Amino acid sequence: MAKTCMTEREIKRRATVSKFAAKRAALEAAMNDVNATAESRFEARMKFQALPRNSSPVRLRNRCALTGRPRGVFSKFGIARSKLRDLMMSGQVPGVTKASW
């Protein structure tokens, strides 16, 4: 189990990313506009740098929905490999059977 503070921090980051997504997209478009003046592009860069650090989607980390484990998370299920295996063995994941040969 991950610490509660780590999972709560990740929830806050996801909220911050969604809150500033439109503003970041607009500023990125202004910075990459080749027809704009150098001053306006520089001003957009300064506003972009003033945004919160956690508003960047790169800082998000996939975590297990059950345990909060940061590694070994299957994105299709949103669950870590160990918990996914337990759920599969108990038959709670539809369409998955144990391999035997």
Side-chain angles (χ1 to χ4, degrees):
M1 292 291 288
K3 289 184 177 180
T4 307
C5 65
M6 299 304 286
T7 55
E8 293 296 323
R9 184 183 301 166
E10 194 63 34
I11 292 169
K12 280 185 182 179
R13 278 191 185 141
R14 290 192 186 279
T16 307
V17 167
S18 63
K19 178 180 177 182
F20 287 97
K23 189 172 187 178
R24 284 181 68 89
L27 289 173
E28 284 178 0
M31 288 186 301
N32 295 331
D33 186 16
V34 293
N35 297 327
T37 63
E39 292 83 18
S40 64
R41 292 174 71 183
F42 180 75
E43 186 178 326
R45 170 69 64 185
M46 290 296 117
K47 288 180 181 177
F48 188 79
Q49 289 178 351
L51 290 176
R53 184 175 286 176
N54 284 334
S55 68
S56 174
V58 173
R59 293 177 63 93
L60 294 177
R61 179 81 173 158
N62 289 335
R63 289 190 173 267
C64 176
L66 301 176
T67 62
R69 179 180 165 87
R71 296 182 179 195
V73 178
F74 284 82
S75 57
K76 183 176 181 180
F77 301 103
I79 299 173
R81 58 182 172 77
S82 58
K83 286 296 175 181
L84 184 61
R85 183 178 186 276
D86 292 342
L87 292 173
M88 282 189 225
M89 291 299 170
S90 63
Q92 295 180 0
V93 180
V96 178
T97 57
K98 184 177 178 186
S100 60
W101 58 89

